[in-house]
Amino acid sequence: LKDGDKAWVWIFQAASDQKRERITAAGDDALWRVGGYLRGTTILSAIIAVTDYVFMFVLGVPLAVPLALLVFLSGYIPYFGGIVATFLILIVTYAALGSGPVVVLLVLIAVRNTILGYGIRPQIYGRSVSMHPAMVLVALPAGYELGGVVGLFAAVPVTAIIMAVANATIAILDPGPR
């Protein structure tokens, strides 16, 4: 990582200055977008985990800290991570306290998700990774097959980098006019 800039220059040394500038700009843009996605995901996952912990603590749900940690980590898996973590929290709440607290917890989570979805999420993500949901649904199983659980966490950032530099890569590989 320390010599990443040198490696970048070495890889593209045969390309013209214009092509090298184009791929470098695309690489910088990809890193900026993925960094924004990871920062935004970390912030949102932390907010969700803390609020879920508070909800579970107030309701008296056992194992609130490990469940909140699970919620935080599952926040890095788009779409399915939050659904699975919420489902597990609701199952634990139902097993420990019955159906009344489950309904209260479900309403609290729905209100929190509405506030996050319409108020906070657009402000946090801004111009970071903008990927079509279908692409995410293709990337997640591919990431899981290639890297297991770690692949689920890395699927979206890696796909975003590939999408960001693909056009520039094709352009620098083009030999030009004959």
Side-chain angles (χ1 to χ4, degrees):
L1 290 176
K2 184 178 177 183
D3 293 331
D5 290 337
K6 291 178 186 175
W8 187 264
V9 170
W10 179 79
I11 289 171
F12 297 111
Q13 67 186 347
S16 67
D17 288 338
Q18 180 185 9
K19 289 181 179 183
R20 192 173 27 246
E21 287 175 18
R22 185 170 179 182
I23 193 69
T24 300
D28 290 342
D29 182 53
L31 288 176
W32 187 85
R33 287 176 183 259
V34 170
Y37 167 77
L38 291 174
R39 283 186 298 275
T41 301
T42 300
I43 292 168
L44 287 175
S45 293
I47 292 170
I48 292 169
V50 167
T51 54
D52 279 350
Y53 171 75
V54 170
F55 298 158
M56 290 184 289
F57 180 77
V58 169
L59 292 172
V61 177
L63 302 172
V65 172
L67 288 172
L69 183 61
L70 176 71
V71 167
F72 176 74
L73 293 175
S74 68
Y76 287 94
I77 302 173
Y79 305 124
F80 301 112
I83 293 170
V84 170
T86 301
F87 185 69
L88 288 174
I89 288 173
L90 294 175
I91 287 175
V92 170
T93 303
Y94 180 74
L97 305 173
S99 61
V102 168
V103 172
V104 171
L105 186 59
L106 197 55
V107 168
L108 290 171
I109 289 172
V111 169
R112 189 258 339 266
N113 286 346
T114 302
I115 293 169
L116 284 178
Y118 291 107
I120 298 174
R121 187 178 312 254
Q123 297 299 322
I124 288 177
Y125 280 126
R127 192 187 144 257
S128 65
V129 174
S130 56
M131 236 192 284
H132 193 277
M135 182 62 77
V136 173
L137 293 177
V138 169
L140 286 176
Y144 180 74
E145 282 298 316
L146 292 172
V149 175
V150 174
L152 283 175
F153 290 99
V156 172
V158 169
T159 304
I161 289 173
I162 291 170
M163 288 175 57
V165 298
N167 289 336
T169 303
I170 291 169
I172 67 161
L173 293 176
D174 183 20
R178 293 181 183 220

PDB file of all heavy atoms in Angstrom, residues 67-105:
ATOM      1  N   LEU A  67     -26.718  -8.606  19.974  1.00  0.00           N
ATOM      2  CA  LEU A  67     -27.645  -8.391  18.861  1.00  0.00           C
ATOM      3  C   LEU A  67     -27.382  -7.054  18.172  1.00  0.00           C
ATOM      4  O   LEU A  67     -27.454  -6.951  16.941  1.00  0.00           O
ATOM      5  CB  LEU A  67     -29.088  -8.474  19.347  1.00  0.00           C
ATOM      6  CG  LEU A  67     -29.588  -9.872  19.710  1.00  0.00           C
ATOM      7  CD1 LEU A  67     -30.956  -9.796  20.366  1.00  0.00           C
ATOM      8  CD2 LEU A  67     -29.626 -10.755  18.488  1.00  0.00           C
ATOM      9  N   ALA A  68     -27.056  -6.025  18.945  1.00  0.00           N
ATOM     10  CA  ALA A  68     -26.736  -4.724  18.348  1.00  0.00           C
ATOM     11  C   ALA A  68     -25.442  -4.813  17.534  1.00  0.00           C
ATOM     12  O   ALA A  68     -25.333  -4.199  16.468  1.00  0.00           O
ATOM     13  CB  ALA A  68     -26.609  -3.663  19.436  1.00  0.00           C
ATOM     14  N   LEU A  69     -24.477  -5.570  18.010  1.00  0.00           N
ATOM     15  CA  LEU A  69     -23.243  -5.780  17.253  1.00  0.00           C
ATOM     16  C   LEU A  69     -23.534  -6.519  15.944  1.00  0.00           C
ATOM     17  O   LEU A  69     -22.984  -6.174  14.892  1.00  0.00           O
ATOM     18  CB  LEU A  69     -22.227  -6.557  18.087  1.00  0.00           C
ATOM     19  CG  LEU A  69     -20.861  -6.786  17.454  1.00  0.00           C
ATOM     20  CD1 LEU A  69     -20.173  -5.466  17.151  1.00  0.00           C
ATOM     21  CD2 LEU A  69     -20.001  -7.627  18.371  1.00  0.00           C
ATOM     22  N   LEU A  70     -24.414  -7.505  15.991  1.00  0.00           N
ATOM     23  CA  LEU A  70     -24.828  -8.213  14.785  1.00  0.00           C
ATOM     24  C   LEU A  70     -25.506  -7.261  13.797  1.00  0.00           C
ATOM     25  O   LEU A  70     -25.255  -7.314  12.594  1.00  0.00           O
ATOM     26  CB  LEU A  70     -25.775  -9.365  15.134  1.00  0.00           C
ATOM     27  CG  LEU A  70     -26.355 -10.124  13.951  1.00  0.00           C
ATOM     28  CD1 LEU A  70     -25.276 -10.964  13.289  1.00  0.00           C
ATOM     29  CD2 LEU A  70     -27.514 -10.981  14.395  1.00  0.00           C
ATOM     30  N   VAL A  71     -26.334  -6.366  14.318  1.00  0.00           N
ATOM     31  CA  VAL A  71     -26.997  -5.373  13.469  1.00  0.00           C
ATOM     32  C   VAL A  71     -25.963  -4.471  12.806  1.00  0.00           C
ATOM     33  O   VAL A  71     -26.062  -4.164  11.614  1.00  0.00           O
ATOM     34  CB  VAL A  71     -28.004  -4.539  14.292  1.00  0.00           C
ATOM     35  CG1 VAL A  71     -28.472  -3.321  13.529  1.00  0.00           C
ATOM     36  CG2 VAL A  71     -29.190  -5.396  14.700  1.00  0.00           C
ATOM     37  N   PHE A  72     -24.962  -4.039  13.559  1.00  0.00           N
ATOM     38  CA  PHE A  72     -23.915  -3.185  12.998  1.00  0.00           C
ATOM     39  C   PHE A  72     -23.186  -3.889  11.862  1.00  0.00           C
ATOM     40  O   PHE A  72     -23.017  -3.326  10.777  1.00  0.00           O
ATOM     41  CB  PHE A  72     -22.929  -2.771  14.088  1.00  0.00           C
ATOM     42  CG  PHE A  72     -21.768  -1.966  13.564  1.00  0.00           C
ATOM     43  CD1 PHE A  72     -21.942  -0.643  13.184  1.00  0.00           C
ATOM     44  CD2 PHE A  72     -20.515  -2.541  13.429  1.00  0.00           C
ATOM     45  CE1 PHE A  72     -20.881   0.103  12.684  1.00  0.00           C
ATOM     46  CE2 PHE A  72     -19.449  -1.807  12.932  1.00  0.00           C
ATOM     47  CZ  PHE A  72     -19.636  -0.488  12.559  1.00  0.00           C
ATOM     48  N   LEU A  73     -22.752  -5.113  12.081  1.00  0.00           N
ATOM     49  CA  LEU A  73     -22.007  -5.833  11.051  1.00  0.00           C
ATOM     50  C   LEU A  73     -22.876  -6.166   9.845  1.00  0.00           C
ATOM     51  O   LEU A  73     -22.408  -6.099   8.708  1.00  0.00           O
ATOM     52  CB  LEU A  73     -21.396  -7.103  11.640  1.00  0.00           C
ATOM     53  CG  LEU A  73     -20.307  -6.887  12.685  1.00  0.00           C
ATOM     54  CD1 LEU A  73     -19.862  -8.212  13.280  1.00  0.00           C
ATOM     55  CD2 LEU A  73     -19.137  -6.133  12.095  1.00  0.00           C
ATOM     56  N   SER A  74     -24.126  -6.505  10.076  1.00  0.00           N
ATOM     57  CA  SER A  74     -25.002  -6.859   8.958  1.00  0.00           C
ATOM     58  C   SER A  74     -25.373  -5.639   8.121  1.00  0.00           C
ATOM     59  O   SER A  74     -25.832  -5.782   6.991  1.00  0.00           O
ATOM     60  CB  SER A  74     -26.259  -7.558   9.460  1.00  0.00           C
ATOM     61  OG  SER A  74     -27.069  -6.656  10.191  1.00  0.00           O
ATOM     62  N   GLY A  75     -25.157  -4.446   8.647  1.00  0.00           N
ATOM     63  CA  GLY A  75     -25.426  -3.235   7.886  1.00  0.00           C
ATOM     64  C   GLY A  75     -24.538  -3.086   6.665  1.00  0.00           C
ATOM     65  O   GLY A  75     -24.861  -2.340   5.740  1.00  0.00           O
ATOM     66  N   TYR A  76     -23.426  -3.808   6.624  1.00  0.00           N
ATOM     67  CA  TYR A  76     -22.522  -3.742   5.478  1.00  0.00           C
ATOM     68  C   TYR A  76     -22.974  -4.641   4.331  1.00  0.00           C
ATOM     69  O   TYR A  76     -22.396  -4.593   3.255  1.00  0.00           O
ATOM     70  CB  TYR A  76     -21.098  -4.119   5.885  1.00  0.00           C
ATOM     71  CG  TYR A  76     -20.438  -3.044   6.693  1.00  0.00           C
ATOM     72  CD1 TYR A  76     -20.462  -3.069   8.082  1.00  0.00           C
ATOM     73  CD2 TYR A  76     -19.801  -1.982   6.071  1.00  0.00           C
ATOM     74  CE1 TYR A  76     -19.870  -2.077   8.822  1.00  0.00           C
ATOM     75  CE2 TYR A  76     -19.198  -0.982   6.803  1.00  0.00           C
ATOM     76  CZ  TYR A  76     -19.240  -1.040   8.183  1.00  0.00           C
ATOM     77  OH  TYR A  76     -18.657  -0.044   8.915  1.00  0.00           O
ATOM     78  N   ILE A  77     -23.968  -5.475   4.564  1.00  0.00           N
ATOM     79  CA  ILE A  77     -24.511  -6.330   3.515  1.00  0.00           C
ATOM     80  C   ILE A  77     -25.794  -5.680   3.026  1.00  0.00           C
ATOM     81  O   ILE A  77     -26.786  -5.647   3.765  1.00  0.00           O
ATOM     82  CB  ILE A  77     -24.770  -7.758   4.031  1.00  0.00           C
ATOM     83  CG1 ILE A  77     -23.478  -8.352   4.578  1.00  0.00           C
ATOM     84  CG2 ILE A  77     -25.359  -8.617   2.918  1.00  0.00           C
ATOM     85  CD1 ILE A  77     -23.651  -9.678   5.268  1.00  0.00           C
ATOM     86  N   PRO A  78     -25.798  -5.129   1.814  1.00  0.00           N
ATOM     87  CA  PRO A  78     -26.978  -4.395   1.339  1.00  0.00           C
ATOM     88  C   PRO A  78     -28.223  -5.276   1.294  1.00  0.00           C
ATOM     89  O   PRO A  78     -28.154  -6.455   0.964  1.00  0.00           O
ATOM     90  CB  PRO A  78     -26.585  -3.962  -0.071  1.00  0.00           C
ATOM     91  CG  PRO A  78     -25.109  -4.067  -0.126  1.00  0.00           C
ATOM     92  CD  PRO A  78     -24.714  -5.127   0.845  1.00  0.00           C
ATOM     93  N   TYR A  79     -29.341  -4.667   1.615  1.00  0.00           N
ATOM     94  CA  TYR A  79     -30.673  -5.260   1.552  1.00  0.00           C
ATOM     95  C   TYR A  79     -30.852  -6.415   2.530  1.00  0.00           C
ATOM     96  O   TYR A  79     -31.605  -6.310   3.477  1.00  0.00           O
ATOM     97  CB  TYR A  79     -31.037  -5.717   0.130  1.00  0.00           C
ATOM     98  CG  TYR A  79     -30.915  -4.635  -0.893  1.00  0.00           C
ATOM     99  CD1 TYR A  79     -30.103  -4.803  -2.006  1.00  0.00           C
ATOM    100  CD2 TYR A  79     -31.564  -3.428  -0.741  1.00  0.00           C
ATOM    101  CE1 TYR A  79     -29.967  -3.798  -2.947  1.00  0.00           C
ATOM    102  CE2 TYR A  79     -31.435  -2.414  -1.670  1.00  0.00           C
ATOM    103  CZ  TYR A  79     -30.639  -2.610  -2.768  1.00  0.00           C
ATOM    104  OH  TYR A  79     -30.498  -1.629  -3.683  1.00  0.00           O
ATOM    105  N   PHE A  80     -30.159  -7.526   2.318  1.00  0.00           N
ATOM    106  CA  PHE A  80     -30.411  -8.730   3.089  1.00  0.00           C
ATOM    107  C   PHE A  80     -29.878  -8.674   4.511  1.00  0.00           C
ATOM    108  O   PHE A  80     -30.456  -9.278   5.408  1.00  0.00           O
ATOM    109  CB  PHE A  80     -29.820  -9.950   2.369  1.00  0.00           C
ATOM    110  CG  PHE A  80     -30.381 -10.141   1.004  1.00  0.00           C
ATOM    111  CD1 PHE A  80     -29.579  -9.959  -0.109  1.00  0.00           C
ATOM    112  CD2 PHE A  80     -31.711 -10.460   0.809  1.00  0.00           C
ATOM    113  CE1 PHE A  80     -30.096 -10.121  -1.382  1.00  0.00           C
ATOM    114  CE2 PHE A  80     -32.229 -10.623  -0.454  1.00  0.00           C
ATOM    115  CZ  PHE A  80     -31.428 -10.455  -1.556  1.00  0.00           C
ATOM    116  N   GLY A  81     -28.781  -7.978   4.736  1.00  0.00           N
ATOM    117  CA  GLY A  81     -28.182  -7.926   6.065  1.00  0.00           C
ATOM    118  C   GLY A  81     -29.127  -7.339   7.098  1.00  0.00           C
ATOM    119  O   GLY A  81     -29.316  -7.904   8.179  1.00  0.00           O
ATOM    120  N   GLY A  82     -29.730  -6.208   6.776  1.00  0.00           N
ATOM    121  CA  GLY A  82     -30.669  -5.576   7.707  1.00  0.00           C
ATOM    122  C   GLY A  82     -31.910  -6.401   7.931  1.00  0.00           C
ATOM    123  O   GLY A  82     -32.436  -6.473   9.052  1.00  0.00           O
ATOM    124  N   ILE A  83     -32.403  -7.050   6.890  1.00  0.00           N
ATOM    125  CA  ILE A  83     -33.604  -7.881   7.010  1.00  0.00           C
ATOM    126  C   ILE A  83     -33.336  -9.061   7.931  1.00  0.00           C
ATOM    127  O   ILE A  83     -34.130  -9.353   8.827  1.00  0.00           O
ATOM    128  CB  ILE A  83     -34.066  -8.359   5.616  1.00  0.00           C
ATOM    129  CG1 ILE A  83     -34.556  -7.173   4.790  1.00  0.00           C
ATOM    130  CG2 ILE A  83     -35.145  -9.421   5.729  1.00  0.00           C
ATOM    131  CD1 ILE A  83     -34.800  -7.482   3.337  1.00  0.00           C
ATOM    132  N   VAL A  84     -32.210  -9.733   7.727  1.00  0.00           N
ATOM    133  CA  VAL A  84     -31.873 -10.904   8.551  1.00  0.00           C
ATOM    134  C   VAL A  84     -31.658 -10.494  10.007  1.00  0.00           C
ATOM    135  O   VAL A  84     -32.159 -11.148  10.935  1.00  0.00           O
ATOM    136  CB  VAL A  84     -30.635 -11.630   7.983  1.00  0.00           C
ATOM    137  CG1 VAL A  84     -30.117 -12.683   8.938  1.00  0.00           C
ATOM    138  CG2 VAL A  84     -30.969 -12.247   6.637  1.00  0.00           C
ATOM    139  N   ALA A  85     -30.930  -9.398  10.234  1.00  0.00           N
ATOM    140  CA  ALA A  85     -30.670  -8.953  11.605  1.00  0.00           C
ATOM    141  C   ALA A  85     -31.956  -8.543  12.313  1.00  0.00           C
ATOM    142  O   ALA A  85     -32.160  -8.891  13.483  1.00  0.00           O
ATOM    143  CB  ALA A  85     -29.684  -7.787  11.599  1.00  0.00           C
ATOM    144  N   THR A  86     -32.833  -7.831  11.629  1.00  0.00           N
ATOM    145  CA  THR A  86     -34.110  -7.439  12.226  1.00  0.00           C
ATOM    146  C   THR A  86     -34.949  -8.661  12.544  1.00  0.00           C
ATOM    147  O   THR A  86     -35.577  -8.738  13.610  1.00  0.00           O
ATOM    148  CB  THR A  86     -34.879  -6.490  11.283  1.00  0.00           C
ATOM    149  OG1 THR A  86     -34.070  -5.340  11.041  1.00  0.00           O
ATOM    150  CG2 THR A  86     -36.203  -6.065  11.881  1.00  0.00           C
ATOM    151  N   PHE A  87     -34.957  -9.616  11.652  1.00  0.00           N
ATOM    152  CA  PHE A  87     -35.708 -10.852  11.882  1.00  0.00           C
ATOM    153  C   PHE A  87     -35.181 -11.583  13.117  1.00  0.00           C
ATOM    154  O   PHE A  87     -35.971 -12.056  13.954  1.00  0.00           O
ATOM    155  CB  PHE A  87     -35.627 -11.735  10.634  1.00  0.00           C
ATOM    156  CG  PHE A  87     -36.451 -12.979  10.719  1.00  0.00           C
ATOM    157  CD1 PHE A  87     -37.833 -12.912  10.701  1.00  0.00           C
ATOM    158  CD2 PHE A  87     -35.848 -14.216  10.808  1.00  0.00           C
ATOM    159  CE1 PHE A  87     -38.601 -14.062  10.779  1.00  0.00           C
ATOM    160  CE2 PHE A  87     -36.600 -15.380  10.891  1.00  0.00           C
ATOM    161  CZ  PHE A  87     -37.983 -15.300  10.874  1.00  0.00           C
ATOM    162  N   LEU A  88     -33.859 -11.647  13.272  1.00  0.00           N
ATOM    163  CA  LEU A  88     -33.279 -12.314  14.449  1.00  0.00           C
ATOM    164  C   LEU A  88     -33.627 -11.570  15.738  1.00  0.00           C
ATOM    165  O   LEU A  88     -33.934 -12.199  16.764  1.00  0.00           O
ATOM    166  CB  LEU A  88     -31.769 -12.436  14.296  1.00  0.00           C
ATOM    167  CG  LEU A  88     -31.287 -13.450  13.265  1.00  0.00           C
ATOM    168  CD1 LEU A  88     -29.783 -13.368  13.098  1.00  0.00           C
ATOM    169  CD2 LEU A  88     -31.703 -14.851  13.659  1.00  0.00           C
ATOM    170  N   ILE A  89     -33.590 -10.247  15.699  1.00  0.00           N
ATOM    171  CA  ILE A  89     -33.965  -9.464  16.876  1.00  0.00           C
ATOM    172  C   ILE A  89     -35.421  -9.720  17.248  1.00  0.00           C
ATOM    173  O   ILE A  89     -35.759  -9.892  18.430  1.00  0.00           O
ATOM    174  CB  ILE A  89     -33.721  -7.957  16.637  1.00  0.00           C
ATOM    175  CG1 ILE A  89     -32.235  -7.665  16.626  1.00  0.00           C
ATOM    176  CG2 ILE A  89     -34.409  -7.109  17.705  1.00  0.00           C
ATOM    177  CD1 ILE A  89     -31.908  -6.245  16.242  1.00  0.00           C
ATOM    178  N   LEU A  90     -36.277  -9.757  16.264  1.00  0.00           N
ATOM    179  CA  LEU A  90     -37.699  -9.996  16.534  1.00  0.00           C
ATOM    180  C   LEU A  90     -37.941 -11.399  17.082  1.00  0.00           C
ATOM    181  O   LEU A  90     -38.778 -11.582  17.972  1.00  0.00           O
ATOM    182  CB  LEU A  90     -38.523  -9.755  15.265  1.00  0.00           C
ATOM    183  CG  LEU A  90     -38.545  -8.307  14.768  1.00  0.00           C
ATOM    184  CD1 LEU A  90     -39.282  -8.212  13.440  1.00  0.00           C
ATOM    185  CD2 LEU A  90     -39.172  -7.386  15.801  1.00  0.00           C
ATOM    186  N   ILE A  91     -37.193 -12.371  16.587  1.00  0.00           N
ATOM    187  CA  ILE A  91     -37.336 -13.745  17.104  1.00  0.00           C
ATOM    188  C   ILE A  91     -36.893 -13.818  18.562  1.00  0.00           C
ATOM    189  O   ILE A  91     -37.568 -14.422  19.402  1.00  0.00           O
ATOM    190  CB  ILE A  91     -36.535 -14.740  16.241  1.00  0.00           C
ATOM    191  CG1 ILE A  91     -37.233 -14.937  14.904  1.00  0.00           C
ATOM    192  CG2 ILE A  91     -36.372 -16.077  16.941  1.00  0.00           C
ATOM    193  CD1 ILE A  91     -36.459 -15.809  13.933  1.00  0.00           C
ATOM    194  N   VAL A  92     -35.754 -13.202  18.874  1.00  0.00           N
ATOM    195  CA  VAL A  92     -35.267 -13.211  20.260  1.00  0.00           C
ATOM    196  C   VAL A  92     -36.259 -12.479  21.169  1.00  0.00           C
ATOM    197  O   VAL A  92     -36.555 -12.932  22.279  1.00  0.00           O
ATOM    198  CB  VAL A  92     -33.856 -12.589  20.352  1.00  0.00           C
ATOM    199  CG1 VAL A  92     -33.446 -12.358  21.793  1.00  0.00           C
ATOM    200  CG2 VAL A  92     -32.848 -13.474  19.648  1.00  0.00           C
ATOM    201  N   THR A  93     -36.785 -11.366  20.706  1.00  0.00           N
ATOM    202  CA  THR A  93     -37.753 -10.603  21.497  1.00  0.00           C
ATOM    203  C   THR A  93     -39.020 -11.418  21.727  1.00  0.00           C
ATOM    204  O   THR A  93     -39.560 -11.450  22.835  1.00  0.00           O
ATOM    205  CB  THR A  93     -38.095  -9.269  20.798  1.00  0.00           C
ATOM    206  OG1 THR A  93     -36.890  -8.545  20.584  1.00  0.00           O
ATOM    207  CG2 THR A  93     -39.046  -8.440  21.633  1.00  0.00           C
ATOM    208  N   TYR A  94     -39.486 -12.087  20.694  1.00  0.00           N
ATOM    209  CA  TYR A  94     -40.689 -12.908  20.837  1.00  0.00           C
ATOM    210  C   TYR A  94     -40.453 -14.069  21.795  1.00  0.00           C
ATOM    211  O   TYR A  94     -41.299 -14.364  22.650  1.00  0.00           O
ATOM    212  CB  TYR A  94     -41.141 -13.442  19.469  1.00  0.00           C
ATOM    213  CG  TYR A  94     -42.369 -14.297  19.553  1.00  0.00           C
ATOM    214  CD1 TYR A  94     -43.612 -13.725  19.774  1.00  0.00           C
ATOM    215  CD2 TYR A  94     -42.290 -15.677  19.415  1.00  0.00           C
ATOM    216  CE1 TYR A  94     -44.749 -14.502  19.863  1.00  0.00           C
ATOM    217  CE2 TYR A  94     -43.413 -16.463  19.507  1.00  0.00           C
ATOM    218  CZ  TYR A  94     -44.639 -15.882  19.725  1.00  0.00           C
ATOM    219  OH  TYR A  94     -45.769 -16.660  19.818  1.00  0.00           O
ATOM    220  N   ALA A  95     -39.305 -14.720  21.679  1.00  0.00           N
ATOM    221  CA  ALA A  95     -39.007 -15.858  22.548  1.00  0.00           C
ATOM    222  C   ALA A  95     -38.861 -15.428  24.006  1.00  0.00           C
ATOM    223  O   ALA A  95     -39.243 -16.156  24.919  1.00  0.00           O
ATOM    224  CB  ALA A  95     -37.734 -16.557  22.079  1.00  0.00           C
ATOM    225  N   ALA A  96     -38.321 -14.249  24.234  1.00  0.00           N
ATOM    226  CA  ALA A  96     -38.062 -13.801  25.601  1.00  0.00           C
ATOM    227  C   ALA A  96     -39.242 -13.073  26.226  1.00  0.00           C
ATOM    228  O   ALA A  96     -39.489 -13.217  27.425  1.00  0.00           O
ATOM    229  CB  ALA A  96     -36.831 -12.903  25.635  1.00  0.00           C
ATOM    230  N   LEU A  97     -39.971 -12.275  25.433  1.00  0.00           N
ATOM    231  CA  LEU A  97     -40.965 -11.375  26.025  1.00  0.00           C
ATOM    232  C   LEU A  97     -42.382 -11.549  25.493  1.00  0.00           C
ATOM    233  O   LEU A  97     -43.315 -10.987  26.065  1.00  0.00           O
ATOM    234  CB  LEU A  97     -40.526  -9.915  25.809  1.00  0.00           C
ATOM    235  CG  LEU A  97     -39.132  -9.555  26.320  1.00  0.00           C
ATOM    236  CD1 LEU A  97     -38.764  -8.144  25.902  1.00  0.00           C
ATOM    237  CD2 LEU A  97     -39.059  -9.714  27.834  1.00  0.00           C
ATOM    238  N   GLY A  98     -42.563 -12.238  24.392  1.00  0.00           N
ATOM    239  CA  GLY A  98     -43.901 -12.417  23.845  1.00  0.00           C
ATOM    240  C   GLY A  98     -44.194 -11.476  22.692  1.00  0.00           C
ATOM    241  O   GLY A  98     -43.326 -10.748  22.207  1.00  0.00           O
ATOM    242  N   SER A  99     -45.459 -11.479  22.264  1.00  0.00           N
ATOM    243  CA  SER A  99     -45.816 -10.753  21.040  1.00  0.00           C
ATOM    244  C   SER A  99     -45.989  -9.248  21.241  1.00  0.00           C
ATOM    245  O   SER A  99     -45.791  -8.481  20.299  1.00  0.00           O
ATOM    246  CB  SER A  99     -47.099 -11.341  20.453  1.00  0.00           C
ATOM    247  OG  SER A  99     -48.158 -11.212  21.375  1.00  0.00           O
ATOM    248  N   GLY A 100     -46.371  -8.783  22.417  1.00  0.00           N
ATOM    249  CA  GLY A 100     -46.560  -7.344  22.656  1.00  0.00           C
ATOM    250  C   GLY A 100     -45.302  -6.532  22.412  1.00  0.00           C
ATOM    251  O   GLY A 100     -45.319  -5.574  21.625  1.00  0.00           O
ATOM    252  N   PRO A 101     -44.197  -6.874  23.041  1.00  0.00           N
ATOM    253  CA  PRO A 101     -42.952  -6.145  22.789  1.00  0.00           C
ATOM    254  C   PRO A 101     -42.454  -6.270  21.347  1.00  0.00           C
ATOM    255  O   PRO A 101     -41.799  -5.363  20.843  1.00  0.00           O
ATOM    256  CB  PRO A 101     -41.956  -6.772  23.766  1.00  0.00           C
ATOM    257  CG  PRO A 101     -42.810  -7.284  24.878  1.00  0.00           C
ATOM    258  CD  PRO A 101     -44.071  -7.751  24.215  1.00  0.00           C
ATOM    259  N   VAL A 102     -42.791  -7.384  20.677  1.00  0.00           N
ATOM    260  CA  VAL A 102     -42.389  -7.539  19.279  1.00  0.00           C
ATOM    261  C   VAL A 102     -43.065  -6.473  18.425  1.00  0.00           C
ATOM    262  O   VAL A 102     -42.440  -5.847  17.567  1.00  0.00           O
ATOM    263  CB  VAL A 102     -42.716  -8.955  18.756  1.00  0.00           C
ATOM    264  CG1 VAL A 102     -42.563  -9.027  17.247  1.00  0.00           C
ATOM    265  CG2 VAL A 102     -41.830  -9.983  19.413  1.00  0.00           C
ATOM    266  N   VAL A 103     -44.360  -6.240  18.672  1.00  0.00           N
ATOM    267  CA  VAL A 103     -45.094  -5.224  17.913  1.00  0.00           C
ATOM    268  C   VAL A 103     -44.514  -3.837  18.192  1.00  0.00           C
ATOM    269  O   VAL A 103     -44.310  -3.037  17.268  1.00  0.00           O
ATOM    270  CB  VAL A 103     -46.600  -5.286  18.237  1.00  0.00           C
ATOM    271  CG1 VAL A 103     -47.340  -4.119  17.610  1.00  0.00           C
ATOM    272  CG2 VAL A 103     -47.191  -6.609  17.793  1.00  0.00           C
ATOM    273  N   VAL A 104     -44.236  -3.540  19.464  1.00  0.00           N
ATOM    274  CA  VAL A 104     -43.652  -2.245  19.827  1.00  0.00           C
ATOM    275  C   VAL A 104     -42.290  -2.070  19.149  1.00  0.00           C
ATOM    276  O   VAL A 104     -41.998  -1.017  18.571  1.00  0.00           O
ATOM    277  CB  VAL A 104     -43.519  -2.114  21.363  1.00  0.00           C
ATOM    278  CG1 VAL A 104     -42.718  -0.883  21.745  1.00  0.00           C
ATOM    279  CG2 VAL A 104     -44.884  -2.110  22.016  1.00  0.00           C
ATOM    280  N   LEU A 105     -41.465  -3.115  19.201  1.00  0.00           N
ATOM    281  CA  LEU A 105     -40.138  -3.058  18.585  1.00  0.00           C
ATOM    282  C   LEU A 105     -40.252  -2.882  17.072  1.00  0.00           C
ATOM    283  O   LEU A 105     -39.509  -2.095  16.475  1.00  0.00           O
ATOM    284  CB  LEU A 105     -39.344  -4.320  18.917  1.00  0.00           C
ATOM    285  CG  LEU A 105     -37.888  -4.367  18.476  1.00  0.00           C
ATOM    286  CD1 LEU A 105     -37.099  -3.214  19.082  1.00  0.00           C
ATOM    287  CD2 LEU A 105     -37.275  -5.689  18.864  1.00  0.00           C
TER     288      LEU A 105
END
